[in-house]
Amino acid sequence: MDLNMFPAEPYRIKSVETVKMNTREERERVVKEAGYNTFLINSEDVYIDLLTDSGTNAMSDKQWSGMMVGDEAYAGSKNFHHLRETVEEIFGFKYIVPTHQGRGAENLLSRIAIKPGQHVLGNMYFTTTRYHQEANGAIFGDIIRDEAHDATLEVPFKGNICLNKLQKAIDEYGADNIAYVCLAVTVNLAGGQPVSMENMRQVRELTNKYGIKVFYDATRCVENAYFIKEQEAGYADKTIKEIVREMFSYADGCTMSGKKDCLVNIGGFLCLNDEDMFQSAKELVVVFEGMPSYGGLAGRDMEAMAIGLKESLQYEYIRHRVLQVRYLGQKLIEAGVPVVQPIGGHAVFLDARRFCPHLTQDEFPAQSLAANLYLESGVRSMERGIVSAGRDKVTGENHRPQLETVRLTIPRRVYTYKHMDVVADAVIKLFKHKETIKGLRFVYEPKQLRFFTARFEEINK
């Protein structure tokens, strides 16, 4: 691995948080008490926390100072106007409705855009997104390119929508029976895979023929823009801001979790161009979130989000962010550890099928691998496989995704390359005695989004 290709951190550290190093005996007790679910482990018992990049960002000096000028008026906060102007400048949409986080925006969009029995087509599901769509009567259809389901394929833009699948769905269901196309940039559960600008343009052209709306999951759109600049012809000399603006010119709106690319710890928003949909969203946000000018957020949080959005477009920041993830992935690949390739923008995904070939999918290999990585090292990760996929609402059978993965998710501006070395060493060590990893079974299974609170026990064969 050429270490010269990985840039130093483009920031200075001025505040630190001390972390605790538990012994293996302590971690064994902790993971059993948590029911082998890393979501149920207390953060004080975690050394390096790679559970998620959602809300775990380190905010900048400018963001912290911006919080001191929070306007906490119940209506018409000046921070809302700053956020609205920033979002309009960067994304180009006419209307914005702030929400407490991304799933608040997903809830609003699903309620105003879906009629029971309609289909929502997307480039692979995401857990909370699919839940809101199905809870409002939609039938989800996966139209991502086939290559995205194969962890071993090293091809660019694996997040692309398959145009043939999209056309087939339109022909089969009829345009009126398709609520909208949900296009994620990037695709989380495929390994953080990006979508090309060409594909976004082609999806827009095809849906325009039939009057079908396209809404983006914009959560990691800046990471997607970096991949376009790096890998797509014609964009090397474009700024990240220019690429983001063009990306969203092909959409009718978006949902955004500000807890990722907005570099904050809480917040989100829904963007729209349709005035009637905007009016409906404003009516519903009062019921579920708060006034249309704060949507469940304090003024200071909206200010931090507006500043963070601008900071996220800085090339040196996003280059370091993506390459730090790639650094960890490359170390694991060179050691022979099976991971989803190519490495995405926010996480390295361990391929649990190949990591634990002695376990069947019904023995929850990704869930067990995540628990054992914590036991081995104090590094917390999360399962993204059969447990996350949940059950079919009609048959009650488990959804069986082809990808069974453990996500090592890198928070933004939090860890150094040395932390990545520690993580890599722990994974490699565990891989060398992978046959000791036991399967799991449920002892408690929630009905909805079970991966958050389910509990397990080891299977002793």
Side-chain angles (χ1 to χ4, degrees):
M1 180 168 57
D2 182 7
L3 296 179
N4 293 322
M5 70 175 289
F6 299 102
E9 288 78 7
Y11 49 80
R12 287 191 291 264
I13 299 169
K14 34 166 93 164
S15 180
V16 297
E17 177 186 358
T18 302
V19 294
K20 183 173 69 173
M21 292 286 292
N22 284 347
T23 65
R24 184 181 179 89
E25 290 74 23
E26 289 171 329
R27 294 195 298 271
E28 185 172 358
R29 173 186 56 79
V30 167
V31 77
K32 286 182 179 178
E33 289 179 353
Y36 297 89
N37 186 344
T38 52
F39 276 95
L40 301 181
I41 297 173
N42 292 326
S43 65
E44 66 178 3
D45 291 317
V46 175
Y47 173 38
I48 299 175
D49 201 345
L50 307 186
L51 184 74
T52 181
D53 61 332
S54 179
T56 57
N57 310 293
M59 294 204 304
S60 71
D61 52 352
K62 291 183 175 60
Q63 286 177 291
W64 282 111
S65 63
M67 292 186 76
M68 298 304 295
V69 295
D71 175 5
E72 307 307 338
Y74 190 78
S77 165
K78 66 181 180 182
N79 307 119
F80 164 71
H81 293 297
H82 184 200
L83 176 62
R84 177 181 54 77
E85 291 163 1
T86 301
V87 170
E88 183 179 351
E89 174 190 346
I90 293 172
F91 293 93
F93 295 117
K94 295 178 181 178
Y95 308 112
I96 173 178
V97 181
T99 57
H100 77 285
Q101 62 182 71
R103 69 194 61 172
E106 293 170 351
N107 178 42
L108 293 179
L109 179 62
S110 297
R111 285 176 174 269
I112 65 178
I114 295 171
K115 297 176 182 177
Q118 285 187 315
H119 295 260
V120 172
L121 309 175
N123 52 342
M124 201 172 281
Y125 82 99
F126 184 68
T127 51
T128 60
T129 314
R130 181 172 180 169
Y131 170 79
H132 286 298
Q133 291 164 353
E134 292 181 340
N136 284 280
I139 303 165
F140 175 77
D142 186 2
I143 55 171
I144 201 169
R145 61 190 297 187
D146 289 339
E147 293 88 341
H149 295 286
D150 188 335
T152 65
L153 290 179
E154 180 84 23
V155 296
F157 299 111
K158 283 173 78 172
N160 281 0
I161 280 177
C162 174
L163 297 174
N164 289 335
K165 290 182 181 180
L166 175 55
Q167 182 66 66
K168 181 180 178 181
I170 295 171
D171 294 341
E172 181 177 350
Y173 307 134
D176 291 341
N177 290 317
I178 297 174
Y180 56 88
V181 172
C182 180
L183 197 157
V185 286
T186 58
V187 184
N188 189 348
L189 296 189
Q193 303 301 326
V195 179
S196 70
M197 192 75 81
E198 180 184 23
N199 188 247
M200 295 181 216
R201 192 180 302 116
Q202 291 172 334
V203 169
R204 176 78 282 177
E205 290 172 356
L206 181 55
T207 53
N208 273 345
K209 292 181 182 179
Y210 299 93
I212 299 171
K213 292 187 181 296
V214 178
F215 292 100
Y216 288 4
D217 178 345
T219 297
R220 298 180 180 88
C221 61
V222 180
E223 294 171 11
N224 200 104
Y226 177 83
F227 284 112
I228 290 173
K229 181 177 177 67
E230 180 188 60
Q231 301 176 20
E232 191 163 358
Y235 289 92
D237 296 328
K238 298 282 188 180
T239 66
I240 297 296
K241 183 177 181 180
E242 289 171 334
I243 294 171
V244 169
R245 184 62 181 252
E246 183 181 346
M247 285 168 55
F248 287 92
S249 71
Y250 304 123
D252 295 290
C254 72
T255 57
M256 182 69 165
S257 171
K259 297 166 67 178
K260 284 83 167 179
D261 272 353
C262 294
L263 301 175
V264 289
N265 308 124
I266 197 68
F269 51 81
L270 170 66
C271 287
L272 298 162
N273 278 332
D274 185 284
E275 186 174 2
D276 290 338
M277 294 185 75
F278 175 57
Q279 293 299 331
S280 296
K282 284 203 301 181
E283 293 173 10
L284 281 175
V285 77
V286 176
V287 177
F288 293 104
E289 304 277 334
M291 282 288 289
S293 59
Y294 76 88
L297 293 174
R300 56 182 175 269
D301 296 321
M302 290 188 286
E303 187 67 21
M305 190 154 54
I307 296 169
L309 259 176
K310 294 176 182 177
E311 291 181 352
S312 72
L313 301 175
Q314 297 168 0
Y315 176 71
E316 292 305 324
Y317 152 73
I318 190 58
R319 176 171 177 261
H320 171 268
R321 194 281 187 287
V322 173
L323 293 186
Q324 186 184 48
V325 177
R326 194 173 295 170
Y327 173 85
L328 173 60
Q330 196 60 42
K331 289 203 73 169
L332 295 178
I333 291 170
E334 291 181 1
V337 176
V339 301
V340 175
Q341 297 190 59
I343 303 301
H346 72 294
V348 177
F349 288 70
L350 305 179
D351 185 353
R353 288 183 185 272
R354 290 184 290 153
F355 202 112
C356 302
H358 59 290
L359 299 179
T360 68
Q361 194 171 30
D362 288 318
E363 293 173 311
F364 309 140
Q367 187 74 41
S368 187
L369 176 52
N372 277 271
L373 178 59
Y374 170 78
L375 178 61
E376 182 73 44
S377 61
V379 174
R380 176 159 63 169
S381 58
M382 70 172 295
E383 182 267 2
R384 279 305 187 209
I386 190 172
V387 176
S388 291
R391 294 185 182 273
D392 185 283
K393 291 181 66 175
V394 177
T395 67
E397 295 296 317
N398 282 314
H399 291 298
R400 294 182 175 276
Q402 291 177 249
L403 293 177
E404 182 77 19
T405 65
V406 170
R407 194 181 75 181
L408 307 172
T409 332
I410 316 302
R412 296 162 184 81
R413 303 190 296 203
V414 172
Y415 293 117
T416 66
Y417 286 111
K418 186 59 180 176
H419 287 103
M420 299 301 102
D421 291 337
V422 172
V423 174
D425 290 346
V427 173
I428 293 167
K429 182 180 178 182
L430 183 59
F431 184 60
K432 290 178 179 178
H433 58 86
K434 57 184 179 293
E435 66 281 352
T436 64
I437 298 174
K438 298 178 181 180
L440 299 175
R441 58 174 164 244
F442 280 114
V443 295
Y444 166 64
E445 181 184 357
K447 293 181 180 179
Q448 310 293 347
L449 299 174
R450 62 189 185 181
F451 62 95
F452 282 127
T453 57
R455 303 182 72 86
F456 307 85
E457 64 181 7
E458 287 188 329
I459 300 171
N460 292 307
K461 295 182 178 180

